[in-house]
Amino acid sequence: MNFVCRIAAVLAALALCTAATAQELRLGVAAEPTSMDPHFHNLTPNNSMLSHIFEYLVDQDERQRLQPGLAESWKAIDDTTWEFKLRRNVKFHDGTPFTADDVLFSFERAPNVEGSPSSFGIYAKGKTLTKVDDHTVHIKTAAPYPLMPNDVSQIFIISTGRAWCSAASSPTPRASRRCSRATST
């Protein structure tokens, strides 16, 4: 009898789990997004929608005050170099871990997406990113640049995963090599 009760409980739980059906989700937006590619078109409706899916290294609150995002901290380590310490134990939706490679890939891809009507190049231009370790990135500029945290709060970070690593999505040879290394492991 005890066994029968357990089986009945398991079946009831399974029935409740499978009883959920797909529902239609409607969103009210002031302007329709033109793309769901986080680096294709730097446009307010796109960025607003994508901010619910992707994250930045540095976030901004409703008053545009900077706060930690995927970078838990940042500091200028000399006149032309900024150091960003990345959050640990962050995973993308596919289970791959977030690392410095994803930051380098995102900053290389963002200004180079083919056919972009309004690129994110202004935020990546003149910056050289270097991976120090899996959770530290240095960004170097030719001259002192105090607005670095503001700039990195404008580029969504994406995974070096296979979905973005196609010929169309990896517009430069370096980005393609980064994808090859990331997806071969």
Side-chain angles (χ1 to χ4, degrees):
M1 183 69 176
N2 211 4
F3 179 73
V4 172
C5 288
R6 286 186 195 162
I7 295 287
V10 168
L11 290 174
L14 287 174
L16 289 175
C17 291
T18 59
T21 59
Q23 299 286 324
E24 187 173 312
L25 174 64
R26 292 179 188 237
L27 300 174
V29 293
E32 187 174 337
T34 61
S35 176
M36 292 303 286
D37 181 328
H39 300 144
F40 179 70
H41 195 181
N42 186 9
L43 190 67
T44 300
N46 296 359
N47 297 339
S48 294
M49 180 70 72
L50 293 168
S51 69
H52 297 285
I53 302 168
F54 300 98
E55 293 189 45
Y56 305 104
L57 284 182
V58 176
D59 283 331
Q60 294 185 16
D61 69 10
E62 65 281 350
R63 297 179 68 202
Q64 294 187 323
R65 292 177 295 205
L66 301 176
Q67 54 192 27
L70 289 172
E72 60 188 10
S73 66
W74 57 91
K75 66 181 178 181
I77 57 174
D78 64 40
D79 286 349
T80 60
T81 308
W82 284 81
E83 179 176 83
F84 290 83
K85 293 288 190 178
L86 308 180
R87 289 193 183 280
R88 295 175 183 274
N89 303 315
V90 173
K91 293 189 184 287
F92 287 98
H93 72 283
D94 64 356
T96 59
F98 164 63
T99 68
D101 290 325
D102 302 307
V103 176
L104 272 61
F105 175 70
S106 298
F107 272 78
E108 182 151 340
R109 181 181 186 272
N112 294 305
V113 175
E114 188 175 328
S116 173
S118 177
S119 154
F120 287 83
I122 189 170
Y123 305 114
K125 185 178 179 182
K127 298 170 179 68
T128 303
L129 280 76
T130 306
K131 174 183 173 179
V132 176
D133 59 42
D134 277 349
H135 295 97
T136 309
V137 173
H138 283 178
I139 304 178
K140 190 155 190 65
T141 56
Y145 192 65
L147 297 177
M148 183 67 71
N150 295 73
D151 279 9
V152 302
S153 73
Q154 301 300 313
I155 295 180
F156 288 113
I157 304 303
I158 61 174
S159 171
T160 56
R162 295 182 196 280
W164 299 109
C165 292
S166 68
S169 295
S170 300
T172 65
R174 193 163 74 189
S176 294
R177 282 193 306 275
R178 198 174 308 288
C179 283
S180 296
R181 284 196 305 270
T183 56
S184 66
T185 56

